[in-house]
Structures are given as structure tokens and as C-alpha cells.
Amino acid sequence: MMRHWQVALKGFAMGMADLVPGVSGGTVAFITGIYDPLLDSLSALSGEGFQALKKGQMREAWHAVNGPFLLALGGGIMAAVLALATPLHWLLEHEPTLLRAFFIGLVATSVPLVGRHVRPWGLDAWVWAAIGCAVAGFVTSLPPLVQSDHPLLLMAAGALAICAMLLPGISGSFLLLILGAYAPVLLALKTMDLTKILAFGSGAALGLLLFSRALKWLLSQHRAPTLSLLTGFLVGSLQALWPWKEAIRPLYTHSDGRVEWLWENAWPGPEAAWLQALALAVAGGLVVWGLHKVGASAQSDVR
């Protein structure tokens, strides 16, 4: 077993990534060496763990799902959400360019760290990577839809978003933004609207149980093509994190009067904070490299 504090620290990093549209917690899980153990534990929730639970074998069920691992990881993720949701969203509103610069360095550094697991890089691997790049580029270029807080929409959004959060390169929170559910989910959490929270949570739980098993099967049976596709996802998602954006047209107005704009990438002007953005991009890359080294050093402790 990996030390619980290491798992919690990686969970904290995953939670921080999942809060930001454009960054995936799955990327952090992969580069820190806990991606396969995470999929094993999640798929066991609806497999061996569920079977043991039906028989009343609580200890066996806890062992089957690697309970201490999931508990430490979930605790780290929740700690990040509680501690960083407010400051990160303040940064998204007031310093979006610098925040995107930090995360583009994080994701760009993740590309070779994921891609190095593809052996060999033949023609088929490049084809899968190109498909992943095209899919991620298309998804992250879609404009946000008009928002709705209907429970059925929130349930469907929860299922799709949790699937995206498991995939390196596809941001669950960005998908929520596209579906028009990002602000309603945040508002439900802020106001403790239990009906909407339950709808979103039940959809996320269902998506998690179903998709984790499918993804585990893909990685066990078709690992090289799957990792090639995920590497392409990372490359394609970079365009969404380009630091400098230009507002094109208003899409809709929030209930509090805020206007949601359609943005596109723009070339920075002469007044742009080049040095600050470059420094933060390098800092993001160093954070990823540090997480990777921590994951590599602890890899032998994971079973």
C-alpha cells in the first residue's frame, strides 16, 4: 500500500485540477502513478466489492475496493475542493490569463510523461493520437450552451463530467461548462440545494461505476492504442488553455447580470504580461515533474 499521506496529496492535486475548466484530474492521477490502482478500485465497486457486500462480508468488500486508498484519495480531493474552490474561481475571474498560463505548462509537460508509456510509437499509435487530438480540440472549442438547472440535465451532466474527469486530457469541469451545467452546479453547492446536488451526484456515481470498468478493460486489452488516444487528448486540450483570449460575442446573461461570452484564442498584444505568463507556465511544468517524481518513487509501494 502506498502511504496514505502520499495518496491524499495526489488526491489534493487531482481536486485542484478538476476545479479548473481545461485541466483533468485524470492527468494528475496518471503522471503520479495512481491511475491503474484508481481504476482497479473504482471498477471493484460494482464488481468484487459489490458481490462481497451483498453477502454481508464487509471486511472483504473493503479490501476488494482498496478502501484505505479510496478514502485517502477522496479525502485529498474534498480538501482541495473545500480549500481552493473560492480562490481558484476568483483567479479564473480576475487573473484568467496567468492561471491559464500555469495550467498550460502543467498539461504540456504531461504530454511526454503520458506518451512515454506507449511502446512502440508506430503508425497505429500516431493515428490514435491524431484522433484523440482532433476530438479534444473539437470538444474544447465548443461554446457553452444556455444554462439549465433541471435535475435530469444535472444528472446527465454529472455522468458525462465524471467520465471526462477520469480521462487524461479531457476536463470534466470544461465539459460541464459546455453543457451549461457548470454555474448551476456551483450555485447548488453554494446554496446547499439538496435536490440538485443529489441529481448531479447520482449521475456522477452511475457514470463512475460504468465507465471505470470500460476504461479498465480498454487499458488491459488495448493499452497502447488507449494511451496513444489519451496522449492525443492532452495535445488537443492545449488550445483551450492558451492564456490570451478575445471576446467575440455575448452568449447569454446569468441571473445575477453577468454576461457569458464566446471566446477565441488571440495573439497577445504588446502590453501582455509575457514574462509572468512564461514564468507561471514553467512553474506548472515543474509542478508536474515534481508530482511525476513523487509518483515514480512510490510506484513500487502500490499493489
Side-chain angles (χ1 to χ4, degrees):
M1 286 294 299
M2 186 184 298
R3 294 182 180 89
H4 294 166
W5 70 266
Q6 291 178 324
V7 177
L9 180 62
K10 295 171 184 183
F12 190 89
M14 285 180 63
M16 180 180 69
D18 280 329
L19 284 171
V20 179
V23 186
S24 169
T27 302
V28 176
F30 198 97
I31 62 175
T32 56
I34 61 172
Y35 197 66
D36 286 323
L38 175 60
L39 288 182
D40 290 342
S41 295
L42 293 177
S43 61
L45 288 173
S46 57
E48 303 94 323
F50 181 69
Q51 295 301 322
L53 191 60
K54 286 200 304 183
K55 298 175 183 177
Q57 300 170 338
M58 302 297 293
R59 185 187 298 271
E60 289 77 5
W62 182 251
H63 178 74
V65 302
N66 201 350
F69 171 83
L70 284 182
L71 188 62
L73 188 69
I77 293 174
M78 287 305 301
V81 171
L82 294 174
L84 299 178
T86 299
L88 277 177
H89 286 98
W90 184 91
L91 288 171
L92 276 172
E93 183 176 351
H94 296 90
E95 296 290 348
T97 298
L98 297 182
L99 186 63
R100 284 193 294 264
F102 175 79
F103 280 105
I104 201 172
L106 187 152
V107 175
T109 308
S110 302
V111 173
L113 295 180
V114 175
R116 66 195 289 265
H117 293 277
V118 179
R119 299 187 182 92
W121 267 98
L123 178 60
D124 56 339
W126 285 105
V127 169
W128 282 110
I131 293 173
C133 183
V135 169
F138 172 74
V139 169
T140 55
S141 65
L142 292 174
L145 299 176
V146 176
Q147 296 185 70
S148 172
D149 59 357
H150 193 282
L152 288 179
L153 174 66
L154 295 182
M155 181 181 292
L160 291 173
I162 202 67
C163 294
M165 287 176 183
L166 284 177
L167 290 173
I170 300 292
S171 166
S173 53
F174 195 90
L175 194 58
L176 285 178
L177 195 64
I178 293 171
L179 294 171
Y182 187 69
V185 168
L186 289 181
L187 181 61
L189 291 171
K190 182 178 179 180
T191 60
M192 291 303 295
D193 188 327
L194 296 181
T195 300
K196 295 182 176 64
I197 292 174
L198 183 61
F200 180 81
S202 59
L206 180 62
L208 192 68
L209 292 175
L210 296 177
F211 187 67
S212 59
R213 294 178 67 85
L215 189 53
K216 180 185 176 182
W217 181 85
L218 283 173
L219 284 171
S220 63
Q221 300 297 320
H222 306 283
R223 191 170 185 85
T226 303
L227 290 179
S228 302
L229 187 72
L230 297 181
T231 303
F233 282 164
L234 285 173
V235 176
S237 69
L238 288 173
Q239 68 89 20
L241 293 170
W242 177 250
W244 294 277
K245 306 284 185 182
E246 181 181 6
I248 302 302
R249 59 181 173 86
L251 292 173
Y252 52 84
T253 303
H254 294 266
S255 58
D256 59 3
R258 290 180 297 112
V259 178
E260 190 72 43
W261 289 82
L262 175 64
W263 299 86
E264 70 174 18
N265 293 335
W267 192 252
E271 74 286 353
W274 277 90
L275 290 179
Q276 295 93 321
L278 180 60
L280 285 170
V282 171
L286 291 175
V287 167
V288 168
W289 184 251
L291 289 171
H292 167 68
K293 298 302 288 185
V294 171
S297 65
Q299 188 72 32
S300 60
D301 296 330
V302 182
R303 50 177 188 176

